[in-house]
Amino acid sequence: MSAGFNIVLAGVGGQGTLVAGKVLGAVAQKKGLDFKVSEVHGMSQRGGSVITYFRMGEKVYSPVIENKMADFILGFEQLEALRWISLLKKSGKMIMNDQKIMPATVLSGAAEYPSDIKGKLIEAGLSGNNLMVLPAYKIALKTGNVRAVNMVMIGALSNYTDISIEDWIDSIKSVLPEK
């Protein structure tokens, strides 16, 4: 996997997707690989959709990840995971936080939050082999810092790479402040 991969980080503002992208960049640098990142913030400061495209490899020319090209989607929030499912390649892996964050349209009563998102992902072709649902928010809460959701998600991703735990930890330390 360290030879190259495409990752989509999808969440809402405040969940740390941008910092997670920086950790991935630090890992790529540590491995001596080229990488490109593209971030779309939307209304991120108001809890809106945030998507980060991250590509790493021997030579990467564009940060764009087109439909069915993502090796991984890290869905930091359920609805955002569902929203970007079309980017995942058939052999790709979806890692989804089980957290639900209600968008403004739902909070205002203008829309309803979709029910059974996991079921919708399974209907779209994901299964136990390529769908991991984890309680990242609850795990982060147990650490004493709910802002650690991004590192829980990165930790889950690390299980599917051949990148050493030491390289992941060094990269995290290089991006995050010591506190």
Side-chain angles (χ1 to χ4, degrees), residues 62-115:
S62 168
V64 176
I65 299 174
E66 297 182 14
N67 282 346
K68 302 194 182 316
M69 295 295 295
D71 297 296
F72 295 94
I73 294 179
L74 300 187
F76 284 57
E77 191 277 336
Q78 287 190 38
L79 183 57
E80 294 303 318
L82 180 63
R83 183 184 319 253
W84 299 105
I85 186 65
S86 65
L87 297 177
L88 191 64
K89 66 171 55 170
K90 189 171 180 105
S91 62
K93 180 95 173 159
M94 165 79 71
I95 301 171
M96 181 179 76
N97 180 8
D98 69 359
Q99 186 178 13
K100 295 179 183 178
I101 299 174
M102 300 300 148
T105 54
V106 171
L107 293 173
S108 71
E112 286 187 33
Y113 196 94
S115 62

Side-chain angles (χ1 to χ4, degrees), residues 10-15 17 40-51 80 83 101-104:
V12 299
Q15 286 192 292
T17 59
V40 179
H41 301 270
M43 291 291 290
S44 61
Q45 298 226 351
R46 304 263 189 265
S49 183
V50 177
I51 183 168
E80 294 303 318
R83 183 184 319 253
I101 299 174
M102 300 300 148

Side-chain angles (χ1 to χ4, degrees), residues 5 7 34 49 51 55 74 88 92 97 126 141 156 168 178:
F5 56 90
I7 298 178
D34 189 20
S49 183
I51 183 168
R55 299 188 66 213
L74 300 187
L88 191 64
N97 180 8
L126 298 181
L141 193 59
W168 283 106
E178 191 161 322

Side-chain angles (χ1 to χ4, degrees), residues 20-21 128 151 174:
M151 293 304 104
S174 74

Side-chain angles (χ1 to χ4, degrees), residues 114-177:
S115 62
D116 192 22
I117 288 178
K118 181 179 177 185
K120 287 176 177 36
L121 291 171
I122 291 169
E123 286 174 16
L126 298 181
S127 66
N129 292 335
N130 59 358
L131 174 62
M132 172 196 276
V133 180
L134 72 152
Y137 180 81
K138 290 176 186 167
I139 293 169
L141 193 59
K142 285 182 182 179
T143 71
N145 186 350
V146 295
R147 293 176 42 180
V149 166
N150 54 2
M151 293 304 104
V152 173
M153 298 297 286
I154 289 289
L157 172 67
S158 74
N159 289 294
Y160 299 99
T161 74
D162 58 2
I163 299 167
S164 73
I165 189 71
E166 293 80 14
D167 285 346
W168 283 106
I169 290 171
D170 289 346
S171 297
I172 290 168
K173 286 180 177 180
S174 74
V175 171
L176 296 177

